[in-house]
Amino acid sequence: MEFIGIDVHKRDSQVCILAEGGEVVLEQRLRTQRERLGELLGKRPKARVLLEASTESEWVARSLEELGHEVVVADPNLAPMYATRSRRVKTDKRDARTLAEACKLGAYRPAHRTSEARRHMRAQLAVREALVRTRTRSIALVGALVRREGLRIGDGKAESFVKRVAVLPLPGWLKAEVAPLLSLMLHLNAQIAFLDGVLERLAHQDEQVERVCTVPQVGPVTACAFVSAVDEPERFSGPHQLEASLGRVPGERSSGEKQRKGPITKTGNHRARGLLIQAALRLLRAKKPETAHLREWAERIAARRGKKTAVVALARRLAGILFAMMRDGTEYPPPKPAELEAAA
């Protein structure tokens, strides 16, 4: 069997093919296109191909699998995969050969390849997040321009921002300045509402998302973000491994007798991590009886460590609860008092 390493980039990719004995059979640069990949690798015997996880890796992997090859999309954070590469000289040609050698040696860690449905869900979330960020920046700019003239915009939700600006006695020249942003926000509000409807429909169609939505203060957007980040609960050994993958555990730089723990690592899916923080804040503010045990647990932590630490801890615990619901197929269950005491 041949072993192939491909250093995939947006426009051009470097290919290195090794024979079973380790000899270099071919090294070639080609356009990152399905047709070019098919021309080069379509007629070759079945081989094992190693790629780094990247934006283009999934469609490249699917194209190569259609040609009959065995494809591994590897985690680029595994240092042993690059053990044969020089630290002083880095080129695409050397990277492709390093990947081919790692493929032959088995010195790689496969990355999780998200299912088609979850990838589309992530795409919807990414588009919504981009629209919300654009609206937030527009609101901040309009607010600054209005405050510069000694006026203030009343508090309220983002959807009603345009109406709250309209009631202010703005001079004509200021109205002309902010008009393009206000017009943009009307379109943004409509598009965000449309995507919210799409995600809500997805929540009703997907059993796991619908189950996660039964947790108080967890809506369709948070549920879709969490479920699409987890994808397959079976790939995690337990909730603690999931929490670590979402960057919800403390960083650590310990050596010898000194132990240093810092802020959370913030690795993994940033969207799911941020939405879990928002859900934790809502849980603390909402005085609902079904979440009283979580709120009391977080308040005890806040008394010792501060509110920010308590919110992060509650978000981590919420991630564990949602994971257990996905894995076990259960509705929202209140944690046992003994578990809360042990975690506190």
Side-chain angles (χ1 to χ4, degrees):
M1 175 185 280
E2 292 181 334
F3 302 95
I4 304 175
I6 306 180
D7 189 27
V8 180
H9 292 280
K10 182 169 63 176
R11 291 187 176 85
D12 298 304
S13 297
Q14 182 70 33
V15 179
C16 178
I17 303 176
L18 298 182
E20 193 165 0
E23 304 84 9
V24 176
V25 176
L26 175 69
E27 288 182 310
Q28 183 174 328
R29 193 170 185 83
L30 75 165
R31 281 284 181 181
T32 309
Q33 298 172 347
R34 287 182 173 85
E35 298 77 12
R36 297 302 304 278
L37 290 168
E39 292 172 4
L40 180 63
L41 303 175
K43 297 181 180 180
R44 301 194 72 87
K46 180 180 178 180
R48 183 177 299 154
V49 185
L50 184 66
L51 317 170
E52 288 180 331
S54 64
T55 303
E56 288 81 14
S57 61
E58 183 59 30
W59 75 260
V60 172
R62 290 172 182 262
S63 299
L64 295 175
E65 286 171 341
E66 291 173 0
L67 297 175
H69 298 294
E70 176 189 345
V71 183
V72 178
V73 179
D75 182 356
N77 297 312
L78 184 67
M81 190 165 70
Y82 310 99
T84 60
R85 185 179 67 188
S86 171
R87 293 185 178 181
R88 296 181 179 275
V89 181
K90 181 187 181 302
T91 64
D92 292 345
K93 187 174 181 180
R94 287 173 179 248
D95 287 348
R97 184 176 295 188
T98 299
L99 290 172
E101 291 170 348
C103 183
K104 180 178 182 299
L105 296 171
Y108 53 80
R109 179 172 59 202
H112 176 67
R113 294 174 62 183
T114 309
S115 62
E116 187 77 13
R118 300 292 189 243
R119 288 198 303 115
H120 288 306
M121 191 179 290
R122 284 190 183 186
Q124 296 281 6
L125 288 163
V127 172
R128 183 188 182 278
E129 182 182 22
L131 294 176
V132 170
R133 286 181 182 273
T134 302
R135 183 175 66 181
T136 302
R137 287 196 298 269
S138 299
I139 288 174
L141 179 55
V142 172
L145 293 173
V146 170
R147 289 200 311 274
R148 193 173 60 182
E149 300 304 317
L151 299 172
R152 296 190 67 85
I153 303 171
D155 295 333
K157 294 183 177 180
E159 292 79 3
S160 64
F161 182 80
V162 176
K163 292 181 180 179
R164 285 181 279 126
V165 174
V167 300
L168 293 176
L170 301 180
W173 55 267
L174 182 54
K175 287 183 179 179
E177 286 178 354
V178 301
L181 290 174
L182 297 178
S183 177
L184 173 63
M185 273 187 271
L186 291 175
H187 292 290
L188 290 173
N189 288 337
Q191 293 301 319
I192 292 170
F194 170 76
L195 288 173
D196 286 342
V198 171
L199 292 172
E200 191 170 351
R201 288 193 294 273
L202 285 174
H204 291 303
Q205 296 168 2
D206 191 300
E207 291 183 5
Q208 288 185 326
V209 178
E210 189 173 24
R211 192 180 305 122
V212 168
C213 282
T214 62
V215 177
Q217 308 306 320
V218 175
V221 175
T222 303
C224 287
F226 183 83
V227 170
S228 63
V230 175
D231 193 24
E232 297 175 0
E234 300 77 18
R235 66 192 182 97
F236 297 101
S237 60
H240 294 306
Q241 187 182 13
L242 167 68
E243 292 159 7
S245 74
L246 291 176
R248 285 260 151 258
V249 295
E252 184 172 356
R253 295 182 68 86
S254 299
S255 179
E257 296 78 22
K258 294 183 179 180
Q259 186 180 37
R260 301 183 183 90
K261 289 191 176 182
I264 58 174
T265 59
K266 294 187 179 181
T267 58
N269 191 297
H270 73 281
R271 188 177 302 112
R273 185 170 58 252
L275 289 170
L276 284 171
I277 286 288
Q278 294 179 27
L281 284 168
R282 291 194 297 268
L283 278 173
L284 284 175
R285 292 167 182 164
K287 306 298 182 182
K288 293 192 175 183
E290 58 267 33
T291 57
H293 53 284
L294 289 173
R295 191 165 56 252
E296 292 168 2
W297 175 78
E299 287 171 352
R300 289 199 297 272
I301 295 178
R304 300 195 314 268
R305 305 285 302 279
K307 185 177 179 180
K308 289 184 178 180
T309 302
V311 171
V312 173
L314 182 56
R316 182 169 64 245
R317 185 164 191 82
L318 184 60
I321 293 172
L322 300 182
F323 169 78
M325 293 171 62
M326 286 184 64
R327 181 191 60 191
D328 303 333
T330 57
E331 298 291 326
Y332 170 63
K336 298 178 181 178
E339 293 177 354
L340 289 174
E341 293 296 334

PDB file of all heavy atoms in Angstrom, residues 261-273:
ATOM      1  N   LYS A 261      -2.246  27.183  38.320  1.00  0.00           N
ATOM      2  CA  LYS A 261      -3.467  27.055  37.531  1.00  0.00           C
ATOM      3  C   LYS A 261      -3.967  28.440  37.184  1.00  0.00           C
ATOM      4  O   LYS A 261      -3.966  29.337  38.024  1.00  0.00           O
ATOM      5  CB  LYS A 261      -4.534  26.274  38.294  1.00  0.00           C
ATOM      6  CG  LYS A 261      -4.208  24.792  38.431  1.00  0.00           C
ATOM      7  CD  LYS A 261      -5.389  24.015  38.953  1.00  0.00           C
ATOM      8  CE  LYS A 261      -5.078  22.517  38.992  1.00  0.00           C
ATOM      9  NZ  LYS A 261      -6.236  21.725  39.451  1.00  0.00           N
ATOM     10  N   GLY A 262      -4.377  28.596  35.946  1.00  0.00           N
ATOM     11  CA  GLY A 262      -4.802  29.905  35.478  1.00  0.00           C
ATOM     12  C   GLY A 262      -6.227  29.907  34.985  1.00  0.00           C
ATOM     13  O   GLY A 262      -7.029  29.046  35.362  1.00  0.00           O
ATOM     14  N   PRO A 263      -6.570  30.862  34.124  1.00  0.00           N
ATOM     15  CA  PRO A 263      -7.927  30.924  33.550  1.00  0.00           C
ATOM     16  C   PRO A 263      -8.209  29.698  32.685  1.00  0.00           C
ATOM     17  O   PRO A 263      -7.321  28.909  32.375  1.00  0.00           O
ATOM     18  CB  PRO A 263      -7.892  32.204  32.710  1.00  0.00           C
ATOM     19  CG  PRO A 263      -6.704  32.967  33.184  1.00  0.00           C
ATOM     20  CD  PRO A 263      -5.715  31.960  33.668  1.00  0.00           C
ATOM     21  N   ILE A 264      -9.471  29.565  32.275  1.00  0.00           N
ATOM     22  CA  ILE A 264      -9.847  28.435  31.430  1.00  0.00           C
ATOM     23  C   ILE A 264      -9.073  28.482  30.110  1.00  0.00           C
ATOM     24  O   ILE A 264      -8.660  29.544  29.649  1.00  0.00           O
ATOM     25  CB  ILE A 264     -11.365  28.421  31.168  1.00  0.00           C
ATOM     26  CG1 ILE A 264     -11.812  29.724  30.504  1.00  0.00           C
ATOM     27  CG2 ILE A 264     -12.124  28.172  32.444  1.00  0.00           C
ATOM     28  CD1 ILE A 264     -13.264  29.730  30.080  1.00  0.00           C
ATOM     29  N   THR A 265      -8.901  27.333  29.492  1.00  0.00           N
ATOM     30  CA  THR A 265      -8.041  27.221  28.311  1.00  0.00           C
ATOM     31  C   THR A 265      -8.644  27.878  27.072  1.00  0.00           C
ATOM     32  O   THR A 265      -7.919  28.284  26.165  1.00  0.00           O
ATOM     33  CB  THR A 265      -7.764  25.748  27.995  1.00  0.00           C
ATOM     34  OG1 THR A 265      -9.013  25.076  27.753  1.00  0.00           O
ATOM     35  CG2 THR A 265      -7.054  25.070  29.166  1.00  0.00           C
ATOM     36  N   LYS A 266      -9.982  27.951  26.988  1.00  0.00           N
ATOM     37  CA  LYS A 266     -10.684  28.546  25.842  1.00  0.00           C
ATOM     38  C   LYS A 266     -10.325  27.869  24.523  1.00  0.00           C
ATOM     39  O   LYS A 266     -10.225  28.523  23.478  1.00  0.00           O
ATOM     40  CB  LYS A 266     -10.414  30.052  25.750  1.00  0.00           C
ATOM     41  CG  LYS A 266     -10.981  30.849  26.914  1.00  0.00           C
ATOM     42  CD  LYS A 266     -10.826  32.340  26.691  1.00  0.00           C
ATOM     43  CE  LYS A 266     -11.422  33.118  27.849  1.00  0.00           C
ATOM     44  NZ  LYS A 266     -11.309  34.571  27.661  1.00  0.00           N
ATOM     45  N   THR A 267     -10.126  26.561  24.559  1.00  0.00           N
ATOM     46  CA  THR A 267      -9.906  25.812  23.323  1.00  0.00           C
ATOM     47  C   THR A 267     -11.249  25.334  22.777  1.00  0.00           C
ATOM     48  O   THR A 267     -12.281  25.463  23.436  1.00  0.00           O
ATOM     49  CB  THR A 267      -8.999  24.602  23.589  1.00  0.00           C
ATOM     50  OG1 THR A 267      -9.616  23.765  24.586  1.00  0.00           O
ATOM     51  CG2 THR A 267      -7.635  25.034  24.087  1.00  0.00           C
ATOM     52  N   GLY A 268     -11.233  24.768  21.595  1.00  0.00           N
ATOM     53  CA  GLY A 268     -12.441  24.176  21.040  1.00  0.00           C
ATOM     54  C   GLY A 268     -13.414  25.192  20.468  1.00  0.00           C
ATOM     55  O   GLY A 268     -13.038  26.299  20.082  1.00  0.00           O
ATOM     56  N   ASN A 269     -14.675  24.819  20.438  1.00  0.00           N
ATOM     57  CA  ASN A 269     -15.714  25.594  19.760  1.00  0.00           C
ATOM     58  C   ASN A 269     -16.052  26.850  20.569  1.00  0.00           C
ATOM     59  O   ASN A 269     -16.681  26.778  21.623  1.00  0.00           O
ATOM     60  CB  ASN A 269     -16.960  24.709  19.592  1.00  0.00           C
ATOM     61  CG  ASN A 269     -17.991  25.335  18.675  1.00  0.00           C
ATOM     62  OD1 ASN A 269     -18.521  26.386  18.963  1.00  0.00           O
ATOM     63  ND2 ASN A 269     -18.272  24.664  17.563  1.00  0.00           N
ATOM     64  N   HIS A 270     -15.643  28.014  20.066  1.00  0.00           N
ATOM     65  CA  HIS A 270     -15.858  29.262  20.803  1.00  0.00           C
ATOM     66  C   HIS A 270     -17.336  29.632  20.867  1.00  0.00           C
ATOM     67  O   HIS A 270     -17.792  30.247  21.837  1.00  0.00           O
ATOM     68  CB  HIS A 270     -15.074  30.397  20.144  1.00  0.00           C
ATOM     69  CG  HIS A 270     -15.658  30.869  18.842  1.00  0.00           C
ATOM     70  ND1 HIS A 270     -15.473  30.187  17.649  1.00  0.00           N
ATOM     71  CD2 HIS A 270     -16.454  31.931  18.562  1.00  0.00           C
ATOM     72  CE1 HIS A 270     -16.111  30.820  16.689  1.00  0.00           C
ATOM     73  NE2 HIS A 270     -16.710  31.878  17.199  1.00  0.00           N
ATOM     74  N   ARG A 271     -18.099  29.271  19.838  1.00  0.00           N
ATOM     75  CA  ARG A 271     -19.508  29.654  19.804  1.00  0.00           C
ATOM     76  C   ARG A 271     -20.283  28.930  20.908  1.00  0.00           C
ATOM     77  O   ARG A 271     -21.048  29.563  21.656  1.00  0.00           O
ATOM     78  CB  ARG A 271     -20.095  29.324  18.434  1.00  0.00           C
ATOM     79  CG  ARG A 271     -21.499  29.853  18.222  1.00  0.00           C
ATOM     80  CD  ARG A 271     -21.977  29.537  16.812  1.00  0.00           C
ATOM     81  NE  ARG A 271     -21.084  30.115  15.819  1.00  0.00           N
ATOM     82  CZ  ARG A 271     -20.301  29.404  15.012  1.00  0.00           C
ATOM     83  NH1 ARG A 271     -20.299  28.082  15.087  1.00  0.00           N
ATOM     84  NH2 ARG A 271     -19.522  29.971  14.129  1.00  0.00           N
ATOM     85  N   ALA A 272     -20.080  27.629  21.032  1.00  0.00           N
ATOM     86  CA  ALA A 272     -20.764  26.868  22.079  1.00  0.00           C
ATOM     87  C   ALA A 272     -20.320  27.340  23.457  1.00  0.00           C
ATOM     88  O   ALA A 272     -21.137  27.450  24.383  1.00  0.00           O
ATOM     89  CB  ALA A 272     -20.484  25.375  21.911  1.00  0.00           C
ATOM     90  N   ARG A 273     -19.039  27.651  23.592  1.00  0.00           N
ATOM     91  CA  ARG A 273     -18.523  28.109  24.892  1.00  0.00           C
ATOM     92  C   ARG A 273     -19.174  29.434  25.301  1.00  0.00           C
ATOM     93  O   ARG A 273     -19.605  29.597  26.438  1.00  0.00           O
ATOM     94  CB  ARG A 273     -17.004  28.256  24.814  1.00  0.00           C
ATOM     95  CG  ARG A 273     -16.349  28.611  26.133  1.00  0.00           C
ATOM     96  CD  ARG A 273     -14.841  28.499  26.065  1.00  0.00           C
ATOM     97  NE  ARG A 273     -14.263  29.336  25.033  1.00  0.00           N
ATOM     98  CZ  ARG A 273     -13.743  28.890  23.897  1.00  0.00           C
ATOM     99  NH1 ARG A 273     -13.730  27.599  23.646  1.00  0.00           N
ATOM    100  NH2 ARG A 273     -13.223  29.716  23.005  1.00  0.00           N
TER     101      ARG A 273
END
